[in-house]
Amino acid sequence: MNNFTFHNPTRLLFGKGMIEKLSTAIPMVHRIMITFGGGSVKQNGVYDQVIKALKDRDYIEFWGIEPNPTIETLREAIQIAKGKQVDFLLAVGGGSVIDGTKLISAGIQYDGDPWELVQKGYYYHTVPMGTVLTLPATGSEMNSGAVISRKETQEKFPFYSNFPVFSILDPETTFSLPPYQVACGIADTFVHVMEQYMTTTDQSRLMDHWAESILSTLVEIAPKIKEDPRNYDLMADFMLSATMGLNGFIAMGVTQDWATHMIGHELTALHGLTHGATLAIVFPGTLRTLRKQKEGKILQYGERVWGINSGTTEERVSQAIEKTEQFFQSLGLSTRLSQEKIGDTTITEIENRFNERNAAFGEAKNVTGSVAREILESCK
Amino acid sequence: MNNFTFHNPTRLLFGKGMIEKLSTAIPMVHRIMITFGGGSVKQNGVYDQVIKALKDRDYIEFWGIEPNPTIETLREAIQIAKGKQVDFLLAVGGGSVIDGTKLISAGIQYDGDPWELVQKGYYYHTVPMGTVLTLPATGSEMNSGAVISRKETQEKFPFYSNFPVFSILDPETTFSLPPYQVACGIADTFVHVMEQYMTTTDQSRLMDHWAESILSTLVEIAPKIKEDPRNYDLMADFMLSATMGLNGFIAMGVTQDWATHMIGHELTALHGLTHGATLAIVFPGTLRTLRKQKEGKILQYGERVWGINSGTTEERVSQAIEKTEQFFQSLGLSTRLSQEKIGDTTITEIENRFNERNAAFGEAKNVTGSVAREILESCK
């Protein structure tokens, strides 16, 4: 096991009706800015619950943080928040709203253009923030990361800052999600876990088992959720899995490999494809391309998650990769670039971008521009 | 899944050589009190590492926190700490030293006799504390609980306070532990997990899998540790399992059942038996006595942890309970009261104590004095 430091101070308030605890969860502050996405929370009752809980507090609303939140929108929010002396942020929405709000919380404390913070990659002078999660997927509600896009240059970069002080997760808020969003959320969670698991074997028995636990849970609940998307216990397990999938709990003492995410971010930046949907395409390609390097772990994964325990090594590895692609297909997601009408131009653009940045992603730092091309070629 | 709140702010510093980070981990304070047990840390090099790391800090040492820390000893420590204006505590040792230090950290901030705090059961006005763990077992390094004994009345009660701000876990500090301590630590961890798992089925798929992950890890590593107690990776997985077994991570949204612990505490209070050793005796008895109530979960446990998947329900339940007792035996621990020369007088005393306190422990609150007797009778 590798040395590690672990610290996750976010308080989780999980369950039915937990939104009513908002007012006590938010400390005494001057003014709260509540941030939202496009308005679905007005249809599903979440907005009403939030406003009712905060009726005696001083707050302003900021609407319109889009999927893959852009610096263009966030600059506006930061300007307003500064003008109104906002000293607490409450993100109400999915990972995009939460990610965007993380940048706002840093931007309020920064004098320059907030894009500079994204380019720097981190900034820890922030105003505190809490979240009300409505779409399980990114894990942003219990980690310190965000991903911020820039429309004018079609770029998308990770950014690190402080953890939310609390996050409220009520599975009932997910009941009205469109099936495609749920599918993308499951794929996103699955690949988050994989990026912390599909590395060198024998680093930690416990971390391996915990990662496999989330994968097996997703494999079990995904078809049931398709049949019964308003089942509280199913959505509770999905919500908990998504949060636990990217909050550090399965990453203690083990190496990680975020190459798939880095390629996926480019597909989103260039084509606007939903984050989880990009991963469902790229991740099987990463496994196909790096199957030799990851052979030991693919075998373990195949056996423990899919019950593959016969055949030659080659056959078992191939089966595990096929099972993974079929899982994403079973969610109703594309697993090939052609299904999303993405072709050679994009592959070349991503290779060039990786080369320009001297990219060398992944556990072995060997996912360069040409390897990214190889991965994408295998996803045609 | 039940509603829950989760918050665990302890920072873990895990791995080889992490003790050298002590000085930066402890904030700027007036005076540190370092608390120790009986002196084994002077033999294994831990004391030297701690003192070296704190050479430029103002500290005093308090020695002699015994296994099952007593209020008699802790009163002394509190008096000294108050006199010396101690405002940070560093516990260096196992669960007993850490538990005792939690009471010291509260006692410093309390004007009355600290036993009143134990009787109250909780107190959150504390000075901050950190830990250097040397014996994986209780999980106290990453939770807010403690258990405090009183010699003069042979009593032992749980006490809740604040989390350590940090805990340093270096698996190398465990290399010189006596095998019996390691065995008790493994049993303690196993039963901690069981007390959060062996309850109603179908509360959370993920929490079930995570609990089973720790159990399976312990079952896998226990015989290997016996053969190779200085194996870093084995001890790292043990240390991580012990911490994760009682820090809230496997308790989200599920019911718990601490009846075995409450009976075990009495055995320690009356006979001085090591905590983990009491659990190895009592826990199989709890399963035998409550086998009907816990049938569904025992079946699941038997199948997933021990691979028991044939036979009638009765046979499978019996096998799972036998496997559990055999596991404790394989650690070299007693699993029957007679092996520890504990007889009817003690059983009657525990029944009476439970009755006097109107005890009704366990998930179903049905472990009263007479059920405790039944459990203990089955452990003769």
Side-chain angles (χ1 to χ4, degrees), chain B residues 66-101:
Chain B
E66 63 276 75
N68 309 305
T70 65
I71 190 68
E72 289 85 354
T73 302
L74 302 173
R75 279 191 191 114
E76 271 180 60
I78 291 166
Q79 203 180 351
I80 296 170
K82 281 179 171 175
K84 297 279 187 185
Q85 285 92 50
V86 164
D87 54 358
F88 194 93
L89 294 162
L90 178 67
V92 179
S96 291
V97 176
I98 299 172
D99 279 11
T101 306

Tab-separated table of all heavy atoms in Angstrom, chain B residues 66-101:
chain	number	residue	atom	x	y	z
B	66	GLU	N	-3.725	2.623	31.280
B	66	GLU	CA	-3.743	1.165	31.225
B	66	GLU	C	-4.757	0.640	30.211
B	66	GLU	O	-5.645	1.363	29.791
B	66	GLU	CB	-4.041	0.603	32.618
B	66	GLU	CG	-5.405	0.976	33.194
B	66	GLU	CD	-5.432	2.341	33.893
B	66	GLU	OE1	-5.423	3.366	33.169
B	66	GLU	OE2	-5.506	2.385	35.125
B	67	PRO	N	-4.628	-0.655	29.850
B	67	PRO	CA	-5.684	-1.288	29.050
B	67	PRO	C	-7.003	-1.112	29.787
B	67	PRO	O	-7.027	-1.244	31.028
B	67	PRO	CB	-5.275	-2.763	29.017
B	67	PRO	CG	-3.811	-2.772	29.298
B	67	PRO	CD	-3.548	-1.604	30.196
B	68	ASN	N	-8.086	-0.824	29.061
B	68	ASN	CA	-9.355	-0.461	29.693
B	68	ASN	C	-9.117	0.711	30.646
B	68	ASN	O	-9.142	0.567	31.867
B	68	ASN	CB	-9.963	-1.652	30.443
B	68	ASN	CG	-10.029	-2.873	29.549
B	68	ASN	OD1	-10.600	-2.811	28.472
B	68	ASN	ND2	-9.391	-3.953	29.967
B	69	PRO	N	-8.880	1.876	30.101
B	69	PRO	CA	-8.427	3.036	30.874
B	69	PRO	C	-9.401	3.362	32.002
B	69	PRO	O	-10.620	3.353	31.806
B	69	PRO	CB	-8.391	4.159	29.837
B	69	PRO	CG	-9.279	3.708	28.733
B	69	PRO	CD	-9.166	2.231	28.700
B	70	THR	N	-8.846	3.636	33.164
B	70	THR	CA	-9.698	3.854	34.339
B	70	THR	C	-9.804	5.327	34.683
B	70	THR	O	-8.866	6.106	34.475
B	70	THR	CB	-9.127	3.146	35.584
B	70	THR	OG1	-7.877	3.759	35.923
B	70	THR	CG2	-8.921	1.667	35.316
B	71	ILE	N	-10.929	5.666	35.228
B	71	ILE	CA	-11.175	7.040	35.666
B	71	ILE	C	-10.139	7.444	36.718
B	71	ILE	O	-9.736	8.618	36.776
B	71	ILE	CB	-12.623	7.176	36.188
B	71	ILE	CG1	-12.987	8.641	36.428
B	71	ILE	CG2	-12.841	6.364	37.468
B	71	ILE	CD1	-13.073	9.439	35.167
B	72	GLU	N	-9.682	6.473	37.517
B	72	GLU	CA	-8.703	6.774	38.563
B	72	GLU	C	-7.427	7.356	37.943
B	72	GLU	O	-6.908	8.380	38.406
B	72	GLU	CB	-8.403	5.507	39.379
B	72	GLU	CG	-9.544	5.058	40.295
B	72	GLU	CD	-10.614	4.174	39.615
B	72	GLU	OE1	-10.554	3.977	38.375
B	72	GLU	OE2	-11.520	3.687	40.328
B	73	THR	N	-6.929	6.710	36.876
B	73	THR	CA	-5.733	7.204	36.191
B	73	THR	C	-6.012	8.516	35.448
B	73	THR	O	-5.193	9.442	35.456
B	73	THR	CB	-5.249	6.147	35.173
B	73	THR	OG1	-4.998	4.926	35.876
B	73	THR	CG2	-3.992	6.591	34.447
B	74	LEU	N	-7.165	8.573	34.815
B	74	LEU	CA	-7.463	9.738	33.978
B	74	LEU	C	-7.673	11.000	34.816
B	74	LEU	O	-7.338	12.106	34.363
B	74	LEU	CB	-8.677	9.443	33.080
B	74	LEU	CG	-8.481	8.214	32.176
B	74	LEU	CD1	-9.768	7.862	31.441
B	74	LEU	CD2	-7.332	8.429	31.181
B	75	ARG	N	-8.205	10.836	36.023
B	75	ARG	CA	-8.344	11.996	36.923
B	75	ARG	C	-6.978	12.647	37.165
B	75	ARG	O	-6.858	13.873	37.144
B	75	ARG	CB	-8.926	11.552	38.270
B	75	ARG	CG	-10.418	11.379	38.290
B	75	ARG	CD	-10.903	11.209	39.738
B	75	ARG	NE	-12.294	10.784	39.781
B	75	ARG	CZ	-12.710	9.599	40.233
B	75	ARG	NH1	-11.825	8.705	40.678
B	75	ARG	NH2	-13.993	9.290	40.242
B	76	GLU	N	-5.991	11.801	37.377
B	76	GLU	CA	-4.619	12.309	37.584
B	76	GLU	C	-4.144	13.114	36.386
B	76	GLU	O	-3.601	14.206	36.498
B	76	GLU	CB	-3.637	11.133	37.708
B	76	GLU	CG	-3.418	10.595	39.088
B	76	GLU	CD	-2.412	9.437	38.993
B	76	GLU	OE1	-1.271	9.667	38.539
B	76	GLU	OE2	-2.808	8.310	39.356
B	77	ALA	N	-4.333	12.508	35.194
B	77	ALA	CA	-3.871	13.173	33.964
B	77	ALA	C	-4.570	14.510	33.777
B	77	ALA	O	-3.950	15.510	33.385
B	77	ALA	CB	-4.128	12.265	32.756
B	78	ILE	N	-5.858	14.522	34.067
B	78	ILE	CA	-6.629	15.762	33.890
B	78	ILE	C	-6.116	16.847	34.838
B	78	ILE	O	-5.952	18.010	34.446
B	78	ILE	CB	-8.135	15.489	34.125
B	78	ILE	CG1	-8.685	14.627	32.986
B	78	ILE	CG2	-8.929	16.789	34.242
B	78	ILE	CD1	-10.048	14.007	33.239
B	79	GLN	N	-5.830	16.457	36.075
B	79	GLN	CA	-5.342	17.430	37.051
B	79	GLN	C	-4.005	18.033	36.593
B	79	GLN	O	-3.806	19.253	36.649
B	79	GLN	CB	-5.177	16.733	38.395
B	79	GLN	CG	-5.228	17.706	39.553
B	79	GLN	CD	-5.066	16.987	40.894
B	79	GLN	OE1	-5.088	15.750	40.945
B	79	GLN	NE2	-4.898	17.746	41.951
B	80	ILE	N	-3.110	17.169	36.129
B	80	ILE	CA	-1.805	17.653	35.645
B	80	ILE	C	-1.996	18.565	34.433
B	80	ILE	O	-1.421	19.650	34.351
B	80	ILE	CB	-0.889	16.469	35.286
B	80	ILE	CG1	-0.569	15.651	36.544
B	80	ILE	CG2	0.395	16.960	34.607
B	80	ILE	CD1	0.119	14.322	36.267
B	81	ALA	N	-2.831	18.117	33.498
B	81	ALA	CA	-3.046	18.893	32.268
B	81	ALA	C	-3.614	20.272	32.580
B	81	ALA	O	-3.209	21.274	31.983
B	81	ALA	CB	-3.973	18.129	31.325
B	82	LYS	N	-4.551	20.327	33.543
B	82	LYS	CA	-5.117	21.628	33.925
B	82	LYS	C	-4.028	22.514	34.530
B	82	LYS	O	-3.912	23.693	34.189
B	82	LYS	CB	-6.239	21.432	34.946
B	82	LYS	CG	-7.572	20.990	34.339
B	82	LYS	CD	-8.634	20.798	35.436
B	82	LYS	CE	-10.015	20.573	34.848
B	82	LYS	NZ	-11.030	20.274	35.884
B	83	GLY	N	-3.220	21.930	35.390
B	83	GLY	CA	-2.161	22.692	36.053
B	83	GLY	C	-1.132	23.232	35.076
B	83	GLY	O	-0.576	24.318	35.277
B	84	LYS	N	-0.892	22.491	34.029
B	84	LYS	CA	0.151	22.884	33.066
B	84	LYS	C	-0.410	23.623	31.852
B	84	LYS	O	0.282	23.794	30.848
B	84	LYS	CB	0.899	21.633	32.577
B	84	LYS	CG	1.656	20.872	33.673
B	84	LYS	CD	2.995	21.530	33.967
B	84	LYS	CE	3.809	20.674	34.923
B	84	LYS	NZ	5.061	21.335	35.336
B	85	GLN	N	-1.678	24.004	31.909
B	85	GLN	CA	-2.310	24.717	30.785
B	85	GLN	C	-2.135	23.987	29.449
B	85	GLN	O	-1.821	24.590	28.415
B	85	GLN	CB	-1.766	26.155	30.640
B	85	GLN	CG	-2.268	27.134	31.674
B	85	GLN	CD	-1.339	27.191	32.874
B	85	GLN	OE1	-0.144	27.345	32.726
B	85	GLN	NE2	-1.896	27.045	34.064
B	86	VAL	N	-2.348	22.698	29.491
B	86	VAL	CA	-2.269	21.907	28.255
B	86	VAL	C	-3.434	22.279	27.347
B	86	VAL	O	-4.581	22.341	27.797
B	86	VAL	CB	-2.299	20.401	28.594
B	86	VAL	CG1	-2.602	19.570	27.361
B	86	VAL	CG2	-0.975	19.980	29.229
B	87	ASP	N	-3.150	22.544	26.068
B	87	ASP	CA	-4.240	22.850	25.135
B	87	ASP	C	-4.196	21.990	23.872
B	87	ASP	O	-4.892	22.262	22.893
B	87	ASP	CB	-4.279	24.345	24.790
B	87	ASP	CG	-2.958	24.870	24.275
B	87	ASP	OD1	-1.986	24.083	24.226
B	87	ASP	OD2	-2.888	26.054	23.902
B	88	PHE	N	-3.396	20.936	23.889
B	88	PHE	CA	-3.463	19.921	22.814
B	88	PHE	C	-3.005	18.600	23.385
B	88	PHE	O	-2.044	18.550	24.162
B	88	PHE	CB	-2.573	20.305	21.611
B	88	PHE	CG	-2.873	19.472	20.385
B	88	PHE	CD1	-3.781	19.908	19.439
B	88	PHE	CD2	-2.264	18.220	20.193
B	88	PHE	CE1	-4.098	19.126	18.329
B	88	PHE	CE2	-2.569	17.440	19.090
B	88	PHE	CZ	-3.488	17.896	18.150
B	89	LEU	N	-3.694	17.536	23.015
B	89	LEU	CA	-3.347	16.202	23.500
B	89	LEU	C	-2.911	15.335	22.339
B	89	LEU	O	-3.531	15.347	21.271
B	89	LEU	CB	-4.560	15.554	24.175
B	89	LEU	CG	-5.013	16.236	25.464
B	89	LEU	CD1	-6.443	15.823	25.799
B	89	LEU	CD2	-4.067	15.891	26.610
B	90	LEU	N	-1.858	14.576	22.555
B	90	LEU	CA	-1.422	13.612	21.546
B	90	LEU	C	-1.383	12.233	22.199
B	90	LEU	O	-0.554	11.980	23.080
B	90	LEU	CB	-0.031	13.967	21.005
B	90	LEU	CG	0.518	12.970	19.983
B	90	LEU	CD1	-0.294	12.997	18.689
B	90	LEU	CD2	1.995	13.238	19.690
B	91	ALA	N	-2.284	11.363	21.766
B	91	ALA	CA	-2.319	9.998	22.296
B	91	ALA	C	-1.406	9.124	21.449
B	91	ALA	O	-1.546	9.071	20.226
B	91	ALA	CB	-3.744	9.466	22.252
B	92	VAL	N	-0.483	8.430	22.085
B	92	VAL	CA	0.428	7.531	21.366
B	92	VAL	C	0.213	6.126	21.927
B	92	VAL	O	0.624	5.839	23.057
B	92	VAL	CB	1.893	7.959	21.533
B	92	VAL	CG1	2.823	6.994	20.804
B	92	VAL	CG2	2.095	9.390	21.021
B	93	GLY	N	-0.455	5.279	21.179
B	93	GLY	CA	-0.722	3.936	21.674
B	93	GLY	C	-1.882	3.292	20.944
B	93	GLY	O	-2.191	3.643	19.802
B	94	GLY	N	-2.537	2.361	21.627
B	94	GLY	CA	-3.692	1.679	21.049
B	94	GLY	C	-4.994	2.319	21.480
B	94	GLY	O	-5.013	3.462	21.961
B	95	GLY	N	-6.073	1.591	21.315
B	95	GLY	CA	-7.401	2.121	21.608
B	95	GLY	C	-7.576	2.591	23.040
B	95	GLY	O	-8.287	3.562	23.289
B	96	SER	N	-6.912	1.930	23.972
B	96	SER	CA	-7.091	2.325	25.372
B	96	SER	C	-6.488	3.700	25.630
B	96	SER	O	-7.101	4.546	26.293
B	96	SER	CB	-6.457	1.291	26.305
B	96	SER	OG	-7.198	0.092	26.251
B	97	VAL	N	-5.284	3.916	25.129
B	97	VAL	CA	-4.649	5.224	25.310
B	97	VAL	C	-5.488	6.308	24.625
B	97	VAL	O	-5.711	7.386	25.176
B	97	VAL	CB	-3.200	5.214	24.772
B	97	VAL	CG1	-2.577	6.604	24.876
B	97	VAL	CG2	-2.341	4.196	25.530
B	98	ILE	N	-5.974	5.988	23.430
B	98	ILE	CA	-6.768	6.981	22.696
B	98	ILE	C	-8.095	7.245	23.414
B	98	ILE	O	-8.502	8.393	23.592
B	98	ILE	CB	-6.995	6.522	21.234
B	98	ILE	CG1	-5.646	6.377	20.516
B	98	ILE	CG2	-7.892	7.507	20.499
B	98	ILE	CD1	-5.723	5.746	19.135
B	99	ASP	N	-8.757	6.187	23.845
B	99	ASP	CA	-10.018	6.365	24.574
B	99	ASP	C	-9.811	7.208	25.831
B	99	ASP	O	-10.557	8.159	26.094
B	99	ASP	CB	-10.587	5.002	24.998
B	99	ASP	CG	-11.337	4.301	23.872
B	99	ASP	OD1	-11.241	4.751	22.722
B	99	ASP	OD2	-12.017	3.295	24.156
B	100	GLY	N	-8.791	6.852	26.599
B	100	GLY	CA	-8.511	7.603	27.820
B	100	GLY	C	-8.248	9.070	27.508
B	100	GLY	O	-8.720	9.968	28.220
B	101	THR	N	-7.527	9.319	26.435
B	101	THR	CA	-7.178	10.692	26.071
B	101	THR	C	-8.417	11.482	25.654
B	101	THR	O	-8.487	12.696	25.869
B	101	THR	CB	-6.093	10.677	24.981
B	101	THR	OG1	-4.999	9.879	25.450
B	101	THR	CG2	-5.602	12.080	24.663
